[in-house]
Amino acid sequence: MSSSETEADGVAAPAHPVPTAKLPHPSAGWSLLWSELAVLFRRWRTWAMLAALAAIPILIAVAVRITGGSRAGRGPAFLDQITANGLFVGFTALVVCVPLFLPLTVGVVAGDTIAGEASHGTLRYLVIAPAGRLRLLAVKYAGSAAFCIAGTAVVIAAGSAIGAILFPVGPVTLLSGSQVGAWDAFLRLLLIGAYVVVSLLGLCAIGLFFSTLTDVPVGAMAATIVLSVVSQVLDQLPQLDGLHPWLFSHYWFGFADFLRDPVSWDSFGSNALLQLGYVAVFGALAIGRFTTKDILS
């Protein structure tokens, strides 16, 4: 249509084309996520922490092999059953790692999410990327959750491998007294691993929030780790019974329900609901803090 025809219709033709706003590409979030995971798992620190987690079941198995086992009722749960069945190395390693070693490594990763970028001077470049601040927070949280999966998987894989090498593997007697085959027991071990991962998701959100409060990653890491210890200490005080169900560490050892026949999902449901609450609360706090924060580095 010519300009004369446009003017004849009573509509003035624009002198210059109107620029259209460039919307974020739908794949920007996925690209940022893959980049975050690549950076996380290329770091020597990440591999050092995974190696330390893998060393725990190996040390347990070697110590039991050398000493010939332990007396019933002494040491971590399932320790006295390792000599009869190597699958219990994985169970014992998770019992040892859940209260300290896994929260320690998760606290390091989660506390470094935002504060680490700020300390390196790269945060301001990330927030002006098409992904935006909210998507950046989601990607950082997803990276922490991915480390939870990797850390738990390493403990299970190392425990199962060294247990099969040093000890016989066979049917497992459950806490309810019934016996299941080795493959069924290994499946239950994987379910316990999934339970542990869910248990750590609340701690990831707490670490993410602390990481938005400072430009010093060590401070956020320390605060996250200390809070996990404090939560477990408070959970052991009978005078605070009313507070216990609200502590994010309260259901951390509820995975024993997966070693009963039939499997009970009550603890898993309560734990998942509690962790979801912590993710929602501390996720909202992280969003409120990060979206209003002046990014200077």
Side-chain angles (χ1 to χ4, degrees):
M1 180 181 294
S2 65
S3 60
S4 60
E5 292 173 338
T6 304
E7 293 173 355
D9 292 336
V11 179
H16 300 286
V18 178
T20 57
K22 187 177 182 180
L23 298 176
H25 195 276
S27 63
W30 289 109
S31 299
L32 189 61
L33 176 59
W34 299 133
S35 176
E36 173 68 17
L37 294 177
V39 170
L40 175 63
F41 288 102
R42 278 203 306 261
R43 290 175 177 166
W44 284 107
R45 180 182 65 193
T46 302
W47 286 102
M49 291 189 296
L50 292 176
L53 290 173
I56 293 172
I58 294 175
L59 291 175
I60 292 174
V62 171
V64 171
R65 181 69 177 181
I66 293 175
T67 60
S70 65
R71 296 179 182 177
R74 300 186 61 180
F78 311 116
L79 184 64
D80 56 323
Q81 302 182 55
I82 290 179
T83 54
N85 197 326
L87 285 175
F88 282 104
V89 175
F91 293 122
T92 306
L94 284 176
V95 171
V96 172
C97 289
V98 163
L100 177 60
F101 297 106
L102 279 171
L104 176 65
T105 55
V106 170
V108 170
V109 173
D112 187 60
T113 47
I114 301 298
E117 298 288 357
S119 68
H120 288 96
T122 56
L123 185 57
R124 59 181 174 179
Y125 299 105
L126 289 174
V127 297
I128 63 175
R133 296 195 183 196
L134 289 178
R135 194 172 295 180
L136 178 61
L137 277 178
V139 165
K140 290 294 185 180
Y141 180 79
S144 300
F147 180 83
C148 293
I149 297 173
T152 306
V154 163
V155 174
I156 292 175
S160 300
I162 193 65
I165 292 173
L166 297 182
F167 304 101
V169 174
V172 171
T173 302
L174 302 177
L175 298 178
S176 55
S178 58
Q179 197 173 69
V180 296
W183 285 111
D184 192 337
F186 183 72
L187 177 59
R188 291 170 184 262
L189 180 58
L190 294 180
L191 289 175
I192 291 175
Y195 186 102
V196 172
V197 170
V198 171
S199 299
L200 297 173
L201 294 181
L203 185 62
C204 287
I206 294 172
L208 179 68
F209 169 64
F210 284 149
S211 191
T212 64
L213 299 178
T214 179
D215 293 342
V216 182
V218 174
M221 296 175 190
T224 306
I225 296 168
V226 168
L227 188 60
S228 72
V229 175
V230 170
S231 177
Q232 293 179 78
V233 170
L234 294 178
D235 199 36
Q236 299 301 316
L237 300 178
Q239 294 83 356
L240 301 176
D241 284 343
L243 179 64
H244 292 172
W246 302 97
L247 298 173
F248 62 88
S249 62
H250 180 63
Y251 296 102
W252 277 6
F253 288 101
F255 54 73
D257 287 346
F258 288 142
L259 294 177
R260 305 183 190 278
D261 192 18
V263 173
S264 175
W265 295 90
D266 293 342
S267 293
F268 183 86
S270 299
N271 185 37
L273 186 61
L274 178 64
Q275 301 307 322
L276 180 61
Y278 271 89
V279 171
V281 171
F282 282 91
L285 291 175
I287 291 172
R289 167 61 179 168
F290 191 58
T291 53
T292 59
K293 180 179 181 181
D294 292 331
I295 307 298
L296 304 176
S297 58

